[in-house]
Amino acid sequence: MLDTTTDDQVTGFLDRFGAALESGDTEAATKMFQDDCYWRDLVSFTWNIKTLEGQKQIRDMLSEQLGKIKPCNWKIAEGEVATEDGGIITAWITFETGVARGYGLIRLKDGKIWTLLTTMSELKGHEEPLGYERPLGAKHGAGKGRLTWAEEIEKERAEMGYKTQPYTVIIGGGQGGIALGARLRQLGVPTIIVEKNERPGDSWRKRYKSLCLHDPVWYDHLPYLPFPPNWPVFAPKDKIGDWLEMYTKIMELNYWTRSTVEHAEYDEKSKEWVITVDRDGEKVTLKPKQLVFATGMSGKANMPKLPGMEKFKGDQHHSSQHPGPDAYKGKKAVVVGSNNSSHDICAALWEAGVDVTMVQRSTTHIVRSEPLMEIGLGDLYSERAVEAGMTTQKADLIFASLPYKILHEFQIPVYDKIKEVDADFYAGLEKAGFQLDWGADGSGLFMKYLRRGSGYYIDVGASQLIIDGKIKLAHGQVTEIVEDGLILDDGTKLQADLIVYATGYGSMNGWVADLIDQETADKVGKVWGLGSDTPKDPGPWEGEQRNMWKPTQVEALWMHGGNLHQSRHYSQFLSLQLKARMEGIDTPVYGLQESHHLGR
């Protein structure tokens, strides 16, 4: 018997799998999966972002969707070769549906599918004008009265929202709104981004002055325009702000600054939103078909209400409003909270000559930046990954191809290794009295972020200040604010001229309650979290980020955001969903998630 190559094995498998799907043989297709299997679909089959776990869920989805989706043409992606490691065969694949082209990653074990990632890459007939299809730009020939490029842009901006209506309105012009706006622009979806600040990028510029990205540059590129090769590994906030402002100009976005949404409601009869906007003092009514909240997964500040707050004679504010340390030199500061913002603010205050105490209310996961970059991200997002041929798109898809149900199993060894490498560092923190954790199951930073979006600090220097006693530590809950400080639940009094509440952020559906109404917010339900039933991520299990980048229970209302990586990656799939609806393409949504955890 002749040995077949790994490519031959995958090609033969894809031929059989494709034939079963094209013939509508749901049972045969389902049996080509392992018993313990996962199919993660980003829009292509489900018009949703959905992970199917086990054969039953896959069978149910195929029974519902197969006749509508009409998949075909399964192949190993052009220029790629299948690989085998430890009994797992992995291959990049392409496929088509009736209306779209797809790209994915398949893992075969013992001749059957273990994990399958399918993603929609473009809609047939509505491809982005890239590469050979890029616009000419220059207008060769002659024509009387024709407009220049600048005049066309000026005319569009003058008329959009007045003479013509956008198809989509995005509330929030931070990285999420900007990335999605760029995708929609390339797809020809008329869009207005509404931003309260004076300039694009101000959501970064206006934060505390020591703020910088804790994620490395390779993880943070925006769509179409990666950072240049001399961009710093960890970009300071003002540099990011300038990049975002430049990006909005280059991408020709309709970006309304100094604008706030006062109210929005959905007109069931006309199937459009009626949105009242204060645009720099002018009242404007927008009537888009689709409304996207890109208000920031960390945008709705949790400001505590504590007895005696009105008595405090010093300054007190949420960390999102912290101006920086300059005004507090020689004074006493207390920062309530012990996650990223708290550490950054405490370090900056100490550097400015402030006597600063951090109040740790619960355990915190800490990982130093260097081992996180090398051990946690290095294979996908690093200079060595780039040198090995890793692209941003491939890295994003490899990360996306690991189902959330088992992702923690891959993360636990990473953090076990970090714990070993940095044993002296963690011993120093514990000796200083800092209360550490490694996540509910030892899976570390990424799972904490995905499950709850809080509870961690990527160390870029503040931890050593805690170890050295330069940032003081206190523990417990704040029970009362007094004229000159605060009281903890064990009776300890901390004197303060400044109190910073680094107390985190609420669910994005709080913005829905503010701008639409509470009933709509409750219909959406909790935004973010997987339903893992770990702290601050209550069940039931969803298996995807709740309500993010996909249809919600409220018609034509969408949630978008996350870190720069998620804003880049998932904006592709949200933009395709919006484009399909604009073009009247049938979008049969499978497995629309239920609403859970109402209120704010």
Side-chain angles (χ1 to χ4, degrees), residues 410-429:
F410 292 83
Q411 293 293 302
I412 290 169
V414 170
Y415 290 92
D416 284 346
K417 179 68 173 175
I418 290 173
K419 194 184 300 185
E420 178 188 325
V421 167
D422 270 351
D424 291 344
F425 168 74
Y426 292 113
L429 276 171

Side-chain angles (χ1 to χ4, degrees), residues 120-139:
M120 184 180 290
S121 52
E122 60 185 4
L123 290 162
K124 295 176 181 178
H126 304 285
E127 296 82 359
E128 292 185 9
L130 305 174
Y132 284 108
E133 305 304 319
R134 71 173 77 224
L136 186 59
K139 291 188 176 181

Side-chain angles (χ1 to χ4, degrees), residues 42-159:
L42 306 184
V43 183
S44 58
F45 273 71
T46 61
W47 287 100
N48 199 350
I49 293 179
K50 191 78 177 170
T51 298
L52 308 158
E53 301 171 359
Q55 288 187 2
K56 182 184 184 307
Q57 290 189 13
I58 290 170
R59 183 184 295 109
D60 290 347
M61 184 277 285
L62 288 175
S63 297
E64 181 73 25
Q65 297 293 96
L66 202 48
K68 305 169 186 175
I69 300 303
K70 299 180 173 60
C72 64
N73 207 20
W74 295 78
K75 295 179 180 177
I76 295 177
E78 188 174 344
E80 300 291 345
V81 293
T83 60
E84 192 272 336
D85 182 30
I88 306 292
I89 295 176
T90 303
W92 294 103
I93 60 172
T94 57
F95 61 95
E96 295 183 28
T97 69
V99 299
R101 296 181 188 89
Y103 197 82
L105 187 66
I106 191 170
R107 293 185 182 94
L108 299 176
K109 183 165 63 174
D110 299 327
K112 291 186 175 185
I113 299 172
W114 174 42
T115 73
L116 177 62
L117 173 73
T118 49
T119 77
M120 184 180 290
S121 52
E122 60 185 4
L123 290 162
K124 295 176 181 178
H126 304 285
E127 296 82 359
E128 292 185 9
L130 305 174
Y132 284 108
E133 305 304 319
R134 71 173 77 224
L136 186 59
K139 291 188 176 181
H140 296 158
K144 288 188 176 181
R146 66 181 180 171
L147 301 178
T148 65
W149 166 83
E151 288 168 339
E152 284 182 346
I153 292 289
E154 186 179 352
K155 180 174 184 289
E156 178 187 326
R157 289 179 177 164
E159 293 181 354

Side-chain angles (χ1 to χ4, degrees), residues 414-456:
V414 170
Y415 290 92
D416 284 346
K417 179 68 173 175
I418 290 173
K419 194 184 300 185
E420 178 188 325
V421 167
D422 270 351
D424 291 344
F425 168 74
Y426 292 113
L429 276 171
E430 289 180 332
K431 186 177 179 182
F434 197 88
Q435 297 171 351
L436 294 164
D437 74 57
W438 293 86
D441 47 13
S443 57
L445 179 83
F446 285 119
M447 296 312 301
K448 263 205 162 185
Y449 174 70
L450 293 167
R451 289 165 172 170
R452 55 183 280 191
S454 65
Y456 52 82

Side-chain angles (χ1 to χ4, degrees), residues 396-408:
D396 288 350
L397 292 177
I398 290 171
F399 192 74
S401 72
L402 288 172
Y404 291 130
K405 188 78 170 182
I406 57 172
L407 182 58
H408 67 284

